[in-house]
């Protein structure tokens, strides 16, 4: 059993080394001088670049981060930020742009590579430190995209099939397996896989129809639709923990999309942090084994704030960091089982990635996992 205090001090110190190695001197000064907050410390991981809200960098249980950022204008560089230093993730000759999506505890990074200036055909890749990125075999088409991996080395995402449509795919020992579609649909995409080889994602039920959340279980090798909330016409599952709890987003009866939790075949509306929750959009992006959920929520006029949901309550993460930190946390995209949160927000000169380090004891974290479920 590790000491949370020792672990926190170690990662604080080593992440500052990473910031220095990336040239983030101002962030390093901020890192070293930051006072202890009520709940979280904030580490600046440098300028952030993402393509969409749900395309997120990776965070593993050790606190390693796989992300990308823009350098020198339009140049894209991908990095693995380890506890002691930063490692650049190299591109390939024909696919120099690298976009990490997930990282396992053995530091295997997966995501997509892309040709410069051409977003039509991406390729799913796998990479480990000291190696060159490896393009994963496709299905029947050219394009593919890896979104998540697990401890067994299984990788999921989407891949093009004959006719140009995309299907959810599972790579096992480099062999791609088409996970199929829902009902009479023609599209599916896997978003996450847990260590029990259960896959979640989104799929339509009719050609070009609206998306619904699905779960695919290895035992049955079948995709099934997760229940929609009453009045919902759209759902997407984003993540699953090792207990089988699934999170994502659905539009509700009043037409506004909220983050949701699927548990025991029931759907829980996570709400939003806006003054008028019914009219404020929220999106759930990740969940850990303690049923702590993170994402982003509107507060007013489309303004985003990062949130943490636990014990049935949605909380604005900006209220859980030092009040004069200089940060405005916009999106929380990943949370690991240690309670560390990866996201992005506004800091000093623009949008930066952050890592929140919980200032709670391991006993308190265990109490979170044992608390009654809402």
């Amino acid at each position: 059993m590790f000491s949370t205090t020792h672990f926190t001090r170690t990662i604080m110190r080593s992440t500052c080394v990473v910031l220095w190695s990336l040239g983030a001197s101002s962030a390093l000064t901020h890192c070293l001088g930051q006072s202890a907050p009520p709940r979280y410390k904030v580490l600046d991981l440098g300028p952030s670049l993402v393509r969409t809200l749900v395309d997120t960098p990776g965070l593993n249980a050790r606190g390693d981060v796989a992300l990308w950022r823009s350098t020198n204008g339009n140049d894209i560089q991908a990095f693995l930020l380890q506890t002691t230093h930063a490692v650049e993730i190299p591109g390939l000759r024909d696919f120099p742009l690298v976009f990490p999506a997930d990282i396992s505890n053995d530091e295997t990074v997966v995501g997509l590579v892309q040709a410069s200036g051409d977003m039509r055909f991406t390729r799913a890749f796998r990479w480990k430190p000291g190696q060159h990125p490896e393009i994963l075999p496709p299905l029947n088409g050219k394009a593919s995209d890896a979104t998540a991996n697990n401890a067994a080395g299984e990788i999921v995402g989407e891949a093009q099939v004959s006719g140009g449509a995309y299907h959810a795919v599972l790579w096992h020992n480099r062999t791609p397996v088409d996970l199929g579609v829902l009902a009479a649909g023609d599209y599916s995409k896997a978003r996450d896989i847990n260590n029990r080889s259960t896959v979640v994602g989104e799929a339509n039920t009719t050609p070009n129809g609206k998306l619904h959340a699905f779960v695919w279980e290895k035992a049955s090798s079948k995709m099934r639709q997760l229940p929609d909330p009453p009045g919902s016409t759209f759902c997407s599952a984003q993540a699953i923990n090792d207990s089988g709890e699934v999170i994502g987003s659905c539009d509700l009866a009043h037409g506004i999309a909220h983050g949701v939790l699927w548990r025991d075949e029931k759907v829980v509306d996570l709400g939003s942090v806006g003054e008028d929750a019914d009219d404020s959009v929220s999106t759930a992006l990740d969940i850990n084994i303690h049923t702590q959920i993170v994402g982003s929520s509107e507060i007013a006029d489309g303004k985003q704030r990062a949130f943490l949901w636990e014990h049935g309550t949605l909380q604005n993460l900006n209220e859980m960091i030092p009040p004069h930190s200089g940060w405005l946390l916009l999106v929380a995209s990943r949370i690991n089982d240690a309670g560390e949160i990866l996201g992005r927000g506004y800091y000093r000169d623009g949008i930066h990635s952050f890592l929140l380090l919980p200032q709670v004891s391991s006993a308190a974290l265990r109490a979170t996992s044992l608390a009654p479920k809402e």
Side-chain angles (χ1 to χ4, degrees):
M1 181 68 68
F2 67 88
S3 164
T4 302
T5 301
H6 173 74
F7 176 79
T8 299
R9 288 175 178 169
T10 299
I11 194 168
M12 281 284 292
R13 181 172 57 253
S14 52
T15 303
C16 289
V17 173
V18 169
L19 293 173
W20 177 83
S21 69
L22 292 176
S25 58
S26 62
L28 178 62
T29 301
H30 173 73
C31 174
L32 292 173
Q34 191 166 186
S35 60
R39 179 90 186 250
Y40 293 101
K41 287 185 180 290
V42 190
L43 297 184
D44 180 11
L45 301 184
S48 174
L49 177 69
V50 296
R51 302 185 309 161
T52 70
L53 176 66
V54 296
D55 288 338
T56 58
L59 171 69
N60 67 12
R62 298 169 43 174
D64 298 326
V65 176
L67 50 72
W68 68 92
R69 66 179 188 172
S70 176
T71 59
N72 300 323
N74 295 323
D75 293 338
I76 304 295
Q77 285 186 302
F79 294 94
L80 166 60
L81 306 184
Q82 299 172 309
T83 55
T84 56
H85 61 289
V87 179
E88 183 174 355
I89 304 173
L92 297 166
R93 184 185 64 180
D94 295 330
F95 301 95
L97 304 182
V98 181
F99 299 93
D102 200 12
I103 178 172
S104 63
N105 292 340
D106 70 352
E107 296 182 336
T108 298
V109 176
V110 301
L112 66 88
V113 290
Q114 177 187 310
S116 297
D118 187 353
M119 295 185 64
R120 292 175 300 170
F121 298 109
T122 62
R123 302 291 192 275
F125 81 89
R126 174 175 61 185
W127 172 85
K128 290 191 71 171
Q131 302 178 1
H132 290 289
E134 171 189 17
I135 292 181
L136 297 171
L139 290 173
N140 299 322
K142 291 182 178 180
S144 58
D145 175 8
T147 55
N149 57 348
N150 65 10
E154 297 171 315
I155 303 168
V156 296
E158 65 177 349
Q160 204 173 34
V161 297
S162 299
Y166 285 82
H167 284 190
V169 62
L170 166 67
W171 284 275
H172 181 72
N173 294 330
R174 283 186 46 82
T175 301
V177 177
D178 188 341
L179 301 187
V181 293
L182 287 174
D186 62 354
Y187 167 81
S188 62
K189 179 172 184 172
R191 291 283 185 184
D192 198 16
I193 182 171
N194 66 11
N195 289 320
R196 297 182 178 182
S197 303
T198 303
V199 181
V200 297
E202 60 197 30
N204 57 21
T205 55
T206 58
N208 300 314
K210 290 190 175 182
L211 300 176
H212 298 274
F214 77 78
V215 60
W216 181 94
E217 294 170 318
K218 193 171 186 177
S220 64
S221 296
K222 291 183 179 180
M223 182 182 295
R224 63 179 176 86
Q225 183 178 336
L226 289 168
D228 294 335
S232 175
T233 62
F234 159 87
C235 283
S236 174
Q238 291 294 322
I240 181 172
N241 64 16
D242 286 341
S243 296
E245 296 171 317
V246 181
I247 59 91
S249 301
C250 295
D251 66 341
L252 305 179
H254 56 277
I256 299 296
H258 276 187
V260 297
L261 164 66
W262 285 274
R263 183 168 52 199
D264 300 326
E265 295 301 313
K266 296 180 180 178
V267 190
V268 178
D269 178 6
L270 303 184
S272 77
V273 296
E275 292 182 2
D276 187 346
D278 286 343
D279 291 329
S280 299
V281 174
S282 65
T283 304
L285 296 174
D286 202 14
I287 181 172
N288 67 11
I289 196 64
H290 310 293
T291 320
Q292 293 177 302
I293 300 169
V294 295
S296 182
S297 173
E298 289 183 350
I299 54 168
D301 301 324
K303 296 177 181 178
Q304 291 181 306
R305 297 293 184 267
F307 75 74
L308 169 69
W309 185 95
E310 60 183 355
H311 306 314
T313 302
L314 197 74
Q315 304 167 79
N316 186 336
L317 278 168
N318 289 278
E319 299 173 359
M320 306 166 77
I321 63 174
H324 303 295
S325 67
W327 278 94
L328 180 62
L329 310 182
L330 303 177
V331 179
S333 55
R334 297 280 187 179
I335 183 167
N336 62 20
D337 291 345
E340 298 169 328
I341 299 171
L342 175 67
R344 59 189 182 277
Y346 191 82
Y347 179 65
R348 294 189 176 178
D349 57 348
I351 302 299
H352 284 215
S353 293
F354 63 77
L355 185 65
L356 301 185
L357 301 179
Q359 303 302 289
V360 297
S361 67
S362 56
L365 194 59
R366 286 196 300 272
T368 296
S369 65
L370 296 174
K373 306 297 185 182
E374 297 293 328

